[in-house]
Amino acid sequence: MRARMIELSWSGLRVPAIAVELGCSQKKVRCWLHRFNRSGLQGLEDLGGQGRKRRITEEERSRIISLVKTVPPGRLRWEPVGELWAFDESGPPEWTLDSLAAAARAEGIEVGRSQVRRVLLTEGVRRRRTRSWTRSKDPDFAPKGRGSSVSIPIRPSARR
């Protein structure tokens, strides 16, 4: 598109006509024409170093994503003899953003909770949650009652 701006300018078109032809603003056309006049063909290239640099490498991002695919160290499993055990009883039973960030830091990746969240959202990775015992398909299962959020009093609305 930038080279086309130069070509149209050389053919005698003015900035407003070039902008209409290419479907962009006149300001953008002027900017690229000035850069071309100043620096030649090199002026039409992208300038490097725009924006904030990534704090973690692609390899570290991949390692964070692979952590989600592993079994959390505190998740209970059945032993062959029929007893429950966990690889690390003090570890998290499921992956949360905090536990993933802590596990990544343990592997030497300096990352925070919010950055782990951004990495997972960007890559479309979903964390699997364990099925809660409070929900059952058993027709005889009787839940205890409504959730705890109901016990929090609702703030009265302002009177008009």
Side-chain angles (χ1 to χ4, degrees), residues 62-125:
S62 297
R63 286 173 42 203
I64 291 171
I65 292 167
S66 68
L67 271 175
V68 177
K69 306 285 185 199
T70 62
V71 177
R75 179 168 292 164
L76 293 175
R77 302 172 208 169
W78 287 101
E79 274 189 3
V81 294
E83 292 185 19
L84 285 174
W85 69 281
F87 180 73
D88 178 12
E89 291 181 10
S90 64
E94 65 180 36
W95 288 124
T96 62
L97 293 175
D98 290 325
S99 62
L100 281 169
R105 284 192 295 272
E107 289 192 13
I109 304 171
E110 290 301 317
V111 66
R113 178 183 194 274
S114 60
Q115 194 165 13
V116 168
R117 180 179 175 276
R118 280 193 302 270
V119 167
L120 297 180
L121 284 174
T122 301
E123 299 298 326
V125 177

Side-chain angles (χ1 to χ4, degrees), residues 19-38:
V20 170
E21 174 80 22
L22 298 178
C24 61
S25 68
Q26 293 181 25
K27 182 178 178 181
K28 186 175 186 178
V29 174
R30 282 191 188 90
C31 172
W32 288 112
L33 290 177
H34 288 302
R35 273 184 59 180
F36 177 77
N37 289 335
R38 255 191 332 265

Side-chain angles (χ1 to χ4, degrees), residues 131-149:
R131 188 172 160 209
S132 173
W133 61 271
T134 61
R135 295 181 192 96
S136 175
K137 293 181 181 177
D138 182 8
D140 295 331
F141 177 76
K144 288 184 177 181
R146 299 180 69 165
S148 63
S149 63

